[in-house]
């Protein structure tokens, strides 16, 4: 009798689904690619046919140019080779999906990156029972327990109101995190214009075109120091301390990332206001998800594999690390 999941082969550059002759999130160009979401460590240019949600395909087109799209809506099933393939929400960023693979009575769920917290910019994670659950472990250590997002946004607004005449400069990943921070601010009643670094414009415009209302956004470039006083400015993490930021009115430097739990990382970036806002599951959410999915096996793509593997084994769940390459989590 063949072993469970023998038709799925992990390689350093991605997961090969043999009976579909397709790859999940390949890091190298492939003829057939199934893509969980639009971050660059999962979605690359140069593929042949690309199966993904319409939102992910729009993000890939904005980043890499024209694709050979095969859109799959949430809940829709398509037959690829001998495999029934469906996409369900992962709750990571707009358009992110878990890829559900059904073949000869076995079900494999490739979750990609995911979180369980509410996020007003994307559909929430859907628990999908399966035989093999393929998960990340970015924050796969018990020390990582993310605080409530609303409380972190309240800390941001409190600092803005306390520091009259300054601005708050928030470093946030350009795809997903930046738009989430803006939308979370709107949800907490902050209706003032929010300013952005030029690198944010294209993806913020794309989110708005896909139905995510971000309110009034203005480019920071060209705005006077006087105009930017008592305002929030969003920028890529790499721009927090570069020459661009020096033209701002005495900015309070903030960064939105799950890694802000580690004080050394905040100090390395000269972050004055660390905001622990993550688009990945924390330790409790990782283990909760595995319990709910109730798989026979857990395969771990990247992150802190050892601790999560140990937890699985102590709970009588077979686990293995795939050691996929090219998965980035530096800015969360």
């Amino acid at each position: 009798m063949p072993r469970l999941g023998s038709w799925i082969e992990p390689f350093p550059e991605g997961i090969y689904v043999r009976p579909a002759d397709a790859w999940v999130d390949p890091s190298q160009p492939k003829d057939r690619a199934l893509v969980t979401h639009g971050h660059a460590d999962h979605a690359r240019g140069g593929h042949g046919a690309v199966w993904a949600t319409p939102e992910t395909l729009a993000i890939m087109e904005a980043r890499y140019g024209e694709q050979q799209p095969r859109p799959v809506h949430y809940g829709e099933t398509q037959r690829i080779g001998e495999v029934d393939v469906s996409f369900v929400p992962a709750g990571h960023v707009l358009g992110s999906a878990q890829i559900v693979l059904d073949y000869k009575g076995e079900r494999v769920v490739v979750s990609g990156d995911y979180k369980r917290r509410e996020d007003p910019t994307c559909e929430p994670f859907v628990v999908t029972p399966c035989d093999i659950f393929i998960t990340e472990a970015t924050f796969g250590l018990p020390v990582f327990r993310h605080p409530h997002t609303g409380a972190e946004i309240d800390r941001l607004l409190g600092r803005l109101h306390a520091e009259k005449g300054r601005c708050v400069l928030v470093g946030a990943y350009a795809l997903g995190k930046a738009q989430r921070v803006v939308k979370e601010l709107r949800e907490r009643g902050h209706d003032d214009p929010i300013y952005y670094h030029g690198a944010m414009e294209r993806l913020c415009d794309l989110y708005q075109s896909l139905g995510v209302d971000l309110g009034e956004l203005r480019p920071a470039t060209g705005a006077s120091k006087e105009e930017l006083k008592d305002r929030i400015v969003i920028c890529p993490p790499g721009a927090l301390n570069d020459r661009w930021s020096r033209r701002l009115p005495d900015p309070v430097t903030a960064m939105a990332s799950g890694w802000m739990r580690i004080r050394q990382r905040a100090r390395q970036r000269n972050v004055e206001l660390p905001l622990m806002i993550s688009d990945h599951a924390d330790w409790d959410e990782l283990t909760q998800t595995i319990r709910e999915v109730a798989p026979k096996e857990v395969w771990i793509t990247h992150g802190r594999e050892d601790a999560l593997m140990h937890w699985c084994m102590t709970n009588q769940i077979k686990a293995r690390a795939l050691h996929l390459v090219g998965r980035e989590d530096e800015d969360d």
Side-chain angles (χ1 to χ4, degrees):
M1 182 176 179
R3 65 171 174 79
L4 185 67
S6 60
W7 47 282
I8 303 284
E9 294 183 71
F11 290 87
E13 72 268 28
I15 297 169
Y16 181 58
V17 186
R18 193 186 310 110
D21 190 22
W23 293 75
V24 178
D25 288 351
S27 60
Q28 300 173 4
K30 302 293 182 182
D31 290 338
R32 289 179 164 189
L34 313 175
V35 177
T36 59
H37 66 282
H39 280 145
D41 55 337
H42 293 257
R44 308 292 177 95
H47 299 310
V50 178
W51 283 264
T53 64
E55 295 85 357
T56 294
L57 289 168
I59 290 166
M60 290 180 69
E61 184 171 341
R63 288 187 143 187
Y64 306 120
E66 190 173 347
Q67 305 294 308
Q68 297 182 41
R70 304 289 190 274
V72 186
H73 294 269
Y74 291 137
E76 177 186 354
T77 299
Q78 292 193 14
R79 186 82 166 181
I80 304 176
E82 302 173 51
V83 182
D84 288 327
V85 179
S86 55
F87 284 50
V88 296
H92 180 55
V93 296
L94 182 64
S96 62
Q98 305 169 76
I99 299 178
V100 183
L101 307 167
D102 287 296
Y103 176 69
K104 291 188 175 180
E106 291 183 7
R107 169 168 284 185
V108 175
V109 172
V110 186
S111 61
D113 292 337
Y114 64 95
K115 68 174 178 289
R116 303 299 302 271
R117 304 296 174 96
E118 291 185 8
D119 181 340
T121 67
C122 66
E123 293 292 320
F125 182 95
V126 172
V127 172
T128 306
C130 58
D131 298 297
I132 297 175
F133 184 58
I134 302 180
T135 180
E136 59 150 310
T138 299
F139 292 110
L141 289 172
V143 69
F144 290 113
R145 288 181 164 94
H146 305 322
H148 187 272
T149 306
E152 295 300 281
I153 295 296
D154 286 343
R155 290 178 58 233
L156 168 55
L157 290 172
R159 192 63 178 270
L160 176 70
H161 298 145
E163 301 281 358
K164 293 299 182 185
R166 303 178 72 184
C167 72
V168 177
L169 178 63
V170 183
Y173 197 76
L175 171 57
K177 184 65 64 64
Q179 296 79 18
R180 182 184 175 198
V181 168
V182 170
K183 189 66 174 175
E184 295 279 5
L185 284 162
R186 301 309 190 198
E187 298 273 310
R188 306 298 278 190
H190 184 75
D191 295 325
D192 292 351
I194 294 175
Y195 292 76
Y196 59 79
H197 185 283
M200 302 291 189
E201 181 175 13
R202 181 175 54 175
L203 288 172
C204 286
D205 287 349
L206 180 60
Y207 262 62
Q208 302 242 50
S209 73
L210 293 172
V212 180
D213 183 7
L214 300 177
E216 185 180 356
L217 301 180
R218 297 179 183 175
T221 301
S224 67
K225 279 193 175 184
E226 193 64 32
E227 183 182 350
L228 293 172
K229 287 181 179 179
D230 304 314
R231 301 296 191 186
I232 294 172
V233 182
I234 308 285
C235 73
L240 275 177
N241 299 298
D242 72 4
R243 187 169 57 184
W244 176 87
S245 67
R246 295 173 197 159
R247 52 179 299 279
L248 303 176
D250 190 19
V252 176
T253 56
M255 184 167 170
S257 169
W259 295 114
M260 291 297 98
R261 170 71 68 185
I262 302 175
R263 293 180 181 178
Q264 184 179 1
R265 292 216 181 189
R267 287 196 297 267
Q268 285 172 345
R269 290 181 175 270
N270 296 317
V271 171
E272 193 174 341
L273 178 63
L275 301 169
M276 286 165 276
I277 300 174
S278 176
D279 284 329
H280 293 264
D282 67 8
W283 174 257
D284 290 336
E285 292 164 345
L286 288 168
T287 55
Q288 170 197 347
T289 300
I290 292 170
R291 284 194 183 98
E292 292 176 349
V293 170
K296 297 173 184 174
E297 294 186 17
V298 171
W299 296 3
I300 304 168
T301 57
H302 66 287
R304 280 72 206 155
E305 301 104 328
D306 289 348
L308 192 57
M309 285 179 64
H310 178 75
W311 181 90
C312 287
M313 287 186 287
T314 59
N315 285 273
Q316 288 75 52
I317 303 170
K318 187 176 179 180
R320 63 183 290 201
L322 303 186
H323 304 298
L324 301 188
V325 300
R327 299 294 193 263
E328 302 294 337
D329 54 25
E330 181 64 30
D331 294 324
D332 178 27

